[in-house]
C-alpha cells in the first residue's frame, strides 16, 4: 500500500498534517502502538525539516507486511555537511522556526534513533531525500 | 493525577472540552518541541510557554492529551479547535513554568524521567 502526501512550506501552520494523517492510517491498519509512535515522531521531524529548512516537497509512505518505508523528498538547499547535521545540537534554524519551538538540532538524531534504518541523499542546490524504514 | 486536580492546583483556566475525564501519570515542562519528541515516553501533561499549532501537533505525535500554557498565554481559536479535534485538553495558568511545575510536583505528580542515549 502506498500513501502520498504533499508538504507545503508556504503554510508552516499546516506542517505536521501529513504525519497526523499517516498516523491515523496506521491506527486503522492496526499497527502496534509503539511502532506507530516511533514512525509518527520520526516522520514529523522530517516533515518539519522540509518546511523550515527546504521549500516543502513530497512524502511517500509504503506499507508492506514486514516494514514501513517513509521517503521524504524536497528540492531545497541540500545539506552541505551531513555529519554535522546528524550531530545532536547542531542547527541552522531561523528565528521564525525557533519561535515555533524548533531548532534544538534534535530532529536528525531523533529520526536516527526512532527508525530501524535511515538513509539521507542530499546535494547542495538540488535537494534532500530522506528515507526511513521501520520493521514491523 | 486527574485534570480536575491539575486545574485546582494551578488555578487553571480550561480552554476546551474533551469527551472523557483525562488523567496523567507524569509532567514534562519544555518550550522546545524537539525535546518533547525526543524524550516524552509516557502519559504526560505538557507545561509550555510556546503557543502555536505545532505544540498541538507535537502532542498528537507523542500521545500527550493535556497541555498547560504557562505565564497566562492564550491559544488562538484555531489552536483550540485543532486540539479539540485531536481530543487534547488545553489549560492555562498565570504561574511561570517553574512555579507551575513545582506546584504539580508538590501535589504528587512526578516528572518524566529522561532516558536517552545521545
Ligand atoms: N531537508 C533539509 N534541507 C536542508 N537542510 C536540512 C534539512 N534537514 C535538516 N537540515 C539541516 O540539518 C540541521 C539539523 O537538522 P535537525 O532536524 O537535527 O535540527 P533542526 O531542524 O535545526 O532543529 P530541531 O529538529 O531540533 O527542531 C538543520 O538545522 C539544517 O541545517
Ligand atoms: Mg529538525
Amino acid at each position: 500500500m502506498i500513501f502520498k502526501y504533499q508538504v507545503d512550506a508556504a503554510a508552516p501552520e499546516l506542517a505536521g498534517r501529513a504525519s497526523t494523517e499517516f498516523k491515523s492510517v496506521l491506527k486503522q491498519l492496526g499497527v502496534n502502538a509503539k511502532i506507530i509512535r516511533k514512525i509518527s515522531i520520526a516522520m514529523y521531524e522530517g516533515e518539519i525539516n522540509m518546511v523550515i529548512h527546504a521549500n516543502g516537497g513530497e512524502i511517500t509512505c509504503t506499507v508492506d507486511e514486514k516494514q514501513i518505508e517513509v521517503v521524504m523528498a524536497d528540492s531545497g538547499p541540500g545539506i552541505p555537511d551531513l555529519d554535522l547535521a546528524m550531530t545532536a545540537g547542531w542547527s541552522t534554524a531561523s528565528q521564525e522556526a525557533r519561535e515555533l519551538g524548533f531548532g534544538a538540532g534534535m530532529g536528525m538524531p531523533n529520526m536516527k534513533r526512532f527508525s530501524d534504518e535511515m538513509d539521507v541523499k542530499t546535494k547542495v542546490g538540488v535537494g534532500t531525500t530522506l528515507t526511513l524504514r521501520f520493521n514491523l | 493525577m486527574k485534570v480536575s486536580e491539575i486545574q485546582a492546583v494551578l488555578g487553571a483556566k480550561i480552554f476546551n472540552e474533551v469527551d472523557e475525564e483525562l488523567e496523567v501519570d507524569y509532567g514534562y515542562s519544555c518550550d522546545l518541541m524537539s525535546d518533547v519528541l525526543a524524550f516524552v515516553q509516557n502519559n504526560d501533561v505538557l507545561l509550555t510557554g510556546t503557543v502555536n499549532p505545532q505544540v498541538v501537533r507535537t502532542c498528537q505525535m507523542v500521545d500527550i492529551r493535556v497541555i498547560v500554557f504557562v505565564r497566562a498565554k492564550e491559544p488562538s481559536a484555531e489552536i483550540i479547535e485543532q486540539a479539540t479535534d485531536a481530543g487534547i485538553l488545553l489549560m492555562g495558568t498565570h504561574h511561570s513554568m517553574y512555579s507551575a511545575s513545582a506546584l504539580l510536583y508538590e501535589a504528587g505528580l512526578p516528572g518524566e524521567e529522561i532516558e536517552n542515549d545521545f
Side-chain angles (χ1 to χ4, degrees), chain A residues 12-17 19-20 23 27 33 36-37 40-41 44-45 48 88 98-107 109-110 113-114, chain B residues 31-42 50-64 78 82 115-118:
Chain A
E13 67 283 359
L14 295 183
R17 199 166 56 169
S19 306
T20 309
K23 185 175 185 179
K27 270 192 191 156
I36 293 183
R37 190 184 162 91
S40 304
I41 293 172
Y44 180 62
E45 290 279 19
I48 294 290
R98 287 174 198 276
E99 274 157 22
L100 291 175
F102 296 99
M106 297 289 283
N110 273 355
R113 183 155 76 109
F114 287 111
Chain B
D31 283 347
L32 281 173
M33 293 305 114
S34 296
D35 260 25
V36 175
L37 291 164
F39 300 122
V40 169
Q41 316 255 8
N42 295 296
T50 304
V51 188
N52 63 58
Q54 296 314 322
V55 175
V56 176
R57 288 273 189 225
T58 300
C59 289
Q60 277 179 272
M61 295 305 135
V62 297
D63 302 318
I64 286 179
E78 182 203 3
Q82 191 193 337
E115 279 174 42
N116 73 82
D117 44 18
F118 290 133

Side-chain angles (χ1 to χ4, degrees), chain A residues 19 35-50 59 70 72 106-118 130-134, chain B residues 37-38 61-62:
Chain A
S19 306
I35 298 177
I36 293 183
R37 190 184 162 91
K38 291 202 296 184
I39 296 172
S40 304
I41 293 172
M43 178 170 164
Y44 180 62
E45 290 279 19
E47 186 179 353
I48 294 290
N49 280 357
M50 290 169 83
I59 305 183
V70 178
M72 298 184 258
M106 297 289 283
M108 300 286 275
N110 273 355
M111 285 186 262
K112 175 106 194 145
R113 183 155 76 109
F114 287 111
S115 62
D116 293 299
E117 210 182 311
M118 174 170 171
L130 207 141
T131 303
L132 301 171
R133 293 193 189 89
F134 305 86
Chain B
L37 291 164
M61 295 305 135
V62 297

Side-chain angles (χ1 to χ4, degrees), chain A residues 50-73:
Chain A
M50 290 169 83
V51 173
I52 65 176
H53 305 302
N55 40 20
E58 190 176 68
I59 305 183
T60 309
C61 303
T62 310
V63 181
D64 64 37
E65 267 159 43
K66 290 209 171 106
Q67 70 166 12
I68 291 175
E69 185 185 71
V70 178
V71 180
M72 298 184 258

